[in-house]
Amino acid sequence: MSFFTVAYLARLEVWGLAAVCLQGALVMLSWFGWERVTRRSSPAARHRLACVHLAALAVLPAITAMVLHWTVSHMSIAPPHGSPVAELARQMASYRSFLALALLLAGVWMAGGLAMLLGLVREARQLARLRCRPAPAGLRRTVHRLARGRMGMATPDVKVAQVASPQVVGLWRTVVLVPDTLIHLPQAEYEALLLHELAHVRQGDFRWNLLQRITLAALWFHPAAWMLYRRVMREREMRCDVQALRHGAAPLALARGLIRLVGHRAPAALAMAVTGDGDFVARIHRLLGVDAVPGTPAAGARPVALALSALCLLALAGGRLGQTDTSMADLYHASSFGPTVSVLAHDDAGSFALQIRHGQVLAATVGQQALARDRIRQHGDRVTLLDAAQQPILALTVTPQDRIEWDGRP
């Protein structure tokens, strides 16, 4: 990969970082607006909304970078000022300074993301090392009855493991892990807890949570990402509580089961635990019918939320600001992404045309005569065009940005 390609990608990185910061703030404001509008909506609707905002936080800056790349690729390069060699020396100095800063930022971002991903790997290894044994026949029959009879879904595998509370694991084959203490709870309580876990299985929450954790690893530096992920977890747990109630769990039994297990809560992990990091007090209030969010949203809240969401999309136009960064076009033309440029020039001796890519002359025409490849000699940025007798007819200086300067011809 050439220096100019790295420098161009570094410039895109800095623009992308600016887009993440700006659009992240807008996405967070959009969520606050919709959170107020949907305060009395179902947890399922609020969960979907939180997931959409978290996804937008990652996708919008990527689209902005693509818009920026498209903008730069359609920019023409500036005309040369003075000697291209002297100009290139000045540009190289500025590129190196900028590249050092960009690489530092990239290094910090990659280090933080790698630390987050290593945390995921550590949690996955902890899950893989759990000591599990087949569940008793009675528990398997109970899970089958709840899954098939009440929820109308395939029966997942169930095992007894050394875990603090029931939880769902498995990327391809879903397994419900239950602690030994579960079967000692009153039947209504442990069935309610199992229905909650079966709701996680039905929605594929383990896989979605893994994807969201990877997104969080990429956006670890942004407060909006952490805030939205916490909202996703909260609404996900409340959604599964509601589904458990819908399929026969008693509210009081589920609340009591949660309270019995809350003292054994494990820290936030990859598994979908019934005591996961939702807002525990809010969950209990909802189950017991205590309205923790009184009042209704203001009449003008929905238009405000829509306007804030529209601002997130309008921020995509930030990619067009690449037109203000004129050196981006230079870097693009010099990078491996750059196009083949056709240059038509004219002086007192007549006209000539060149095809240049990355500072290399690929073809040349002097007057109406196309030159054979062996009549184009290039050493570094110096190009000499030869006539049929191998005598110089034109000497050029070509920069990697596809600018040219030539000596006068007789």
Side-chain angles (χ1 to χ4, degrees):
M1 188 179 294
S2 70
F3 169 84
F4 291 101
T5 301
V6 175
Y8 177 69
L9 292 175
R11 191 66 64 97
L12 276 180
E13 172 210 335
V14 172
W15 275 95
L17 181 60
V20 167
C21 294
L22 171 62
Q23 291 170 334
L26 293 175
V27 167
M28 189 158 53
L29 288 175
S30 174
W31 165 253
F32 285 149
W34 284 109
E35 189 176 39
R36 183 175 180 82
V37 170
T38 60
R39 61 171 57 188
R40 290 188 174 276
S41 299
S42 68
R46 291 167 61 88
H47 175 257
R48 285 193 296 269
L49 196 61
C51 288
V52 167
H53 279 78
L54 182 60
L57 192 64
V59 171
L60 290 178
I63 298 177
T64 301
M66 288 189 288
V67 172
L68 175 62
H69 177 74
W70 181 88
T71 300
V72 171
S73 67
H74 287 75
M75 290 172 61
S76 59
I77 57 177
H81 300 283
S83 168
V85 178
E87 181 183 13
L88 179 61
R90 290 194 300 270
Q91 290 176 340
M92 291 290 284
S94 64
Y95 293 158
R96 287 192 177 95
S97 299
F98 186 87
L99 183 58
L101 173 61
L103 291 177
L104 175 63
L105 292 175
V108 172
W109 171 71
M110 292 179 66
L114 181 61
M116 295 281 291
L117 292 176
L118 288 176
L120 272 178
V121 172
R122 183 174 61 253
E123 291 175 17
R125 291 184 64 185
Q126 290 173 350
L127 290 176
R129 291 175 177 176
L130 283 175
R131 294 183 178 179
C132 302
R133 67 178 189 275
L139 181 57
R140 292 201 304 272
R141 286 194 297 269
T142 299
V143 172
H144 179 77
R145 173 171 55 83
L146 296 177
R148 287 287 190 180
R150 295 196 188 180
M151 302 193 73
M153 57 181 283
T155 305
D157 192 11
V158 57
K159 294 183 178 181
V160 177
Q162 295 178 341
V163 292
S165 64
Q167 52 191 254
V168 171
V169 299
L171 188 59
W172 309 116
R173 186 173 66 89
T174 305
V175 179
V176 178
L177 302 179
V178 297
D180 286 312
T181 56
L182 181 71
I183 57 178
H184 301 300
L185 296 178
Q187 182 176 355
E189 293 181 18
Y190 87 73
E191 286 191 3
L193 296 173
L194 287 174
L195 283 169
H196 175 101
E197 291 306 302
L198 290 173
H200 279 307
V201 175
R202 190 176 191 177
Q203 298 296 327
D205 284 338
F206 184 89
R207 290 184 290 271
W208 284 112
N209 183 57
L210 177 61
L211 180 61
Q212 289 157 359
R213 289 286 297 275
I214 293 173
T215 301
L216 187 63
L219 298 170
W220 63 268
F221 59 89
H222 206 302
W226 291 94
M227 183 273 293
L228 285 170
Y229 181 69
R230 285 193 294 269
R231 296 298 194 277
V232 167
M233 288 194 298
R234 181 189 69 184
E235 302 302 336
R236 181 173 59 214
E237 295 304 320
M238 289 187 175
R239 180 204 63 191
C240 290
D241 287 344
V242 169
Q243 290 190 15
L245 300 183
R246 186 178 300 156
H247 291 93
L252 186 58
L254 181 54
R256 283 177 173 172
L258 290 172
I259 292 172
R260 289 181 194 274
L261 294 175
V262 71
H264 305 286
R265 292 175 71 189
L270 199 55
M272 295 288 96
V274 71
T275 52
D277 276 1
D279 187 333
F280 191 78
V281 174
R283 289 174 66 188
I284 299 299
H285 282 174
R286 182 180 284 270
L287 289 170
L288 299 180
V290 178
D291 190 358
V293 189
T296 57
R302 185 176 293 273
V304 171
L306 286 169
L308 289 171
S309 298
L311 280 178
C312 297
L313 296 177
L314 288 176
L316 291 174
R320 299 291 290 171
L321 293 176
Q323 293 176 330
T324 63
D325 190 352
T326 56
S327 64
M328 281 285 285
D330 288 331
L331 287 173
Y332 170 76
H333 278 264
S335 73
S336 59
F337 304 106
T340 299
V341 176
S342 296
V343 178
L344 180 62
H346 184 83
D347 60 14
D348 293 339
S351 62
F352 63 92
L354 305 171
Q355 284 191 338
I356 309 172
R357 181 175 173 81
H358 308 154
Q360 298 294 313
V361 177
L362 307 178
T365 301
V366 178
Q368 300 298 320
Q369 181 183 9
L371 303 186
R373 191 68 187 88
D374 62 351
R375 292 169 60 185
I376 304 171
R377 294 183 180 175
Q378 182 164 359
H379 300 282
D381 59 355
R382 295 293 295 174
V383 179
T384 304
L385 304 182
L386 307 175
D387 60 16
Q390 297 294 306
Q391 296 300 312
I393 54 176
L394 180 60
L396 300 156
T397 300
V398 182
T399 71
Q401 293 86 356
D402 302 330
R403 291 191 177 98
I404 67 169
E405 185 176 83
W406 67 96
D407 302 331
R409 294 189 289 166

